[in-house]
Amino acid sequence: DAGVTQSPTHLIKTRGQHVTLRCSPISGHKSVSWYQQVLGQGPQFIFQYYEKEERGRGNFPDRFSARQFPNYSSELNVNALLLGDSALYLCASSPRTGETYEQYFGPGTRLTVT
Amino acid sequence: QKEVEQDPGPLSVPEGAIVSLNCTYSNSAFQYFMWYRQYSRKGPELLMYTYSSGNKEDGRFTAQVDKSSKYISLFIRDSQPSDSATYLCAMKKRSGPGGGNKLTFGTGTQLKVEL
């Protein structure tokens, strides 16, 4: 079975630009979460969506937004990019929300802002 | 103060050694405790999970949770060069059915197992 897939793999953007990152969860999984991992740090929670509804939001500015589609894939959008947005963006897939330990991560999208 | 503290290392051990990795936490609401392994430039891979207190063993890996001390550990026996990676502890609060899935991670410990 295919795991979590993310696209693109790498991305280079300029300050002030906008970026869209995409995630396809494991087949049958209805929850997608997004995390930001800065070099040398653990992942930080950005958003969670379950069945197209937002179920959690981390401490990130409004420049960050996300949505989930009917097929449970998801997009993360970041506007007005800053140098500090350079990081590995990870998507995590889960079959359910709430009482579960199961979250499986994709390979990530490495974003570089220059 | 961070909710989850983890020594970033690096930790270097000889092949065959027993490795001990640890995290402490401050929020008593955490009920799920996970360990992820992350190879360079890859996504984290779920290794072990424990609900509430106790021990769990899977092959060469043992996870321990001591909620009274707010301390969790991962032990790796007979370590191999292929175990060289960053090990992340992660924790989740009990949120009830339909609640959220937010994980809170430590900074990760970089482990190198040398021949």
Side-chain angles (χ1 to χ4, degrees), chain A residues 23-110:
Chain A
C23 171
S24 291
I26 294 169
S27 178
H29 285 197
K30 299 180 179 181
S31 173
V32 169
S33 298
W34 288 95
Y35 290 80
Q36 179 196 65
Q37 187 177 24
V38 174
L39 193 63
Q41 299 294 317
Q44 296 291 314
F45 175 76
I46 309 175
F47 285 111
Q48 184 207 348
Y49 278 78
Y50 179 73
E51 295 217 351
K52 295 175 288 179
E53 290 188 2
E54 183 182 302
R55 291 302 183 101
R57 174 184 287 251
N59 188 23
F60 280 81
D62 291 344
R63 299 185 295 108
F64 289 77
S65 64
R67 56 179 175 167
Q68 187 177 34
F69 299 100
N71 66 353
Y72 304 115
S73 66
S74 178
E75 281 183 355
L76 175 71
N77 294 283
V78 187
N79 292 324
L81 285 167
L82 303 175
L83 294 178
D85 295 331
S86 296
L88 180 67
Y89 287 84
L90 296 162
C91 172
S93 163
S94 179
R96 62 190 69 84
T97 189
E99 296 306 309
T100 180
Y101 67 90
E102 294 185 82
Q103 288 199 60
Y104 303 98
F105 284 84
T109 293
R110 187 163 299 279

Side-chain angles (χ1 to χ4, degrees), chain B residues 11-21 60-61 74-81 83-84 87 111-115:
Chain B
L11 178 63
S12 183
V13 301
E15 183 180 9
I18 296 174
V19 176
S20 173
L21 303 167
R60 297 186 296 113
F61 299 90
L74 177 71
F75 297 94
I76 307 174
R77 291 182 297 280
D78 188 25
S79 56
Q80 304 294 311
D83 295 327
S84 298
Y87 289 81
L111 171 67
K112 184 173 184 180
V113 181
E114 304 196 70
L115 290 168

Side-chain angles (χ1 to χ4, degrees), chain B residues 11-115:
Chain B
L11 178 63
S12 183
V13 301
E15 183 180 9
I18 296 174
V19 176
S20 173
L21 303 167
N22 312 293
C23 288
T24 59
Y25 63 97
S26 57
N27 194 331
S28 58
F30 289 132
Q31 294 285 343
Y32 292 88
F33 303 91
M34 281 73 71
W35 286 94
Y36 284 83
R37 177 173 62 195
Q38 187 174 27
Y39 291 112
S40 181
R41 297 186 171 271
K42 302 291 185 183
E45 171 194 8
L46 180 63
L47 267 181
M48 300 280 288
Y49 75 93
T50 311
Y51 178 75
S52 194
S53 286
N55 295 357
K56 190 168 188 177
E57 187 173 323
D58 184 4
R60 297 186 296 113
F61 299 90
T62 299
Q64 289 185 351
V65 175
D66 181 350
K67 292 192 71 181
S68 62
S69 302
K70 296 189 176 67
Y71 188 87
I72 71 170
S73 301
L74 177 71
F75 297 94
I76 307 174
R77 291 182 297 280
D78 188 25
S79 56
Q80 304 294 311
S82 58
D83 295 327
S84 298
T86 295
Y87 289 81
L88 295 153
C89 63
M91 306 182 188
K92 180 177 173 297
K93 299 173 188 177
R94 185 175 184 191
S95 56
N101 282 355
K102 175 185 175 182
L103 294 178
T104 302
F105 282 87
T107 54
T109 298
Q110 189 178 347
L111 171 67
K112 184 173 184 180
V113 181
E114 304 196 70
L115 290 168

